[in-house]
Amino acid sequence: QPRSPCCCLAWTLLIGTMNCLVFLLNLLLMFVIFTVVLLPTIVVVYFGFQCHSQVLHSSARYCKSILDDNSSSALIILGFVIMSPLLVVAMAIYCSLARRLQLLVCFQPCSLALYKGGHCCHPGEGALCWARGCSRQLKAWV
């Protein structure tokens, strides 16, 4: 049966807030994974740009004694070359972790705010994150 307008508004706000929190959790998880996996690329490119005379030309001791323009250019190229495989690894780690934690199932449809008394655990309708017992074979893309 349909909800009253005030109840519908309250449930819409609750569902919207929950969906925003799940989205922010996904975003934070993705940021952490990509930062950790891409850290070698970030470090290599940073030192390459920092020690190159045409870019930043730092006066640090390692820039004067170890890295010249040719080695700085090599570091920059190496950093961008290893970025592609590391991006694939980071995306694979995020996708497997999101699938294992079933983070995409936590998004709720706004139709739950309109009607009360319905079960949200039927296949194809989505399931609440804490209602895992209803449908264990629920896929995120269904």
Side-chain angles (χ1 to χ4, degrees):
Q1 68 188 40
R3 296 184 191 272
S4 67
C6 290
C7 189
C8 182
L9 180 65
W11 275 100
T12 302
L13 290 175
L14 179 72
I15 290 172
T17 304
M18 191 174 93
N19 285 344
C20 287
L21 289 175
V22 169
F23 173 74
L24 289 175
L25 177 72
N26 275 309
L27 201 63
L28 178 70
L29 182 67
M30 186 182 295
F31 177 75
V32 168
I33 289 172
F34 273 74
T35 302
V36 169
V37 172
L38 292 176
L39 192 61
T41 299
I42 295 167
V43 169
V44 167
V45 170
Y46 171 75
F47 282 119
F49 278 124
Q50 184 181 15
C51 294
H52 199 281
S53 67
Q54 299 295 322
V55 184
L56 292 177
H57 194 57
S58 174
S59 61
R61 186 173 47 91
Y62 57 85
C63 286
K64 292 178 180 178
S65 62
I66 299 173
L67 297 173
D68 59 352
D69 280 351
N70 290 333
S71 57
S72 296
S73 298
L75 281 178
I76 294 169
I77 292 169
L78 175 69
F80 284 114
V81 166
I82 65 173
M83 187 187 319
S84 297
L86 290 180
L87 279 172
V88 172
V89 168
M91 187 54 84
I93 290 171
Y94 168 73
C95 288
S96 67
L97 196 58
R99 179 185 238 175
R100 183 169 295 142
L101 296 175
Q102 296 183 351
L103 292 177
L104 300 177
V105 179
C106 293
F107 288 106
Q108 296 298 313
C110 287
S111 62
L112 289 177
L114 300 177
Y115 298 101
K116 59 183 176 181
H119 299 289
C120 62
C121 294
H122 296 289
E125 288 185 23
L128 293 173
C129 293
W130 51 86
R132 301 256 189 239
C134 295
S135 61
R136 293 203 177 266
Q137 297 300 322
L138 185 66
K139 302 289 185 198
W141 56 84
V142 174

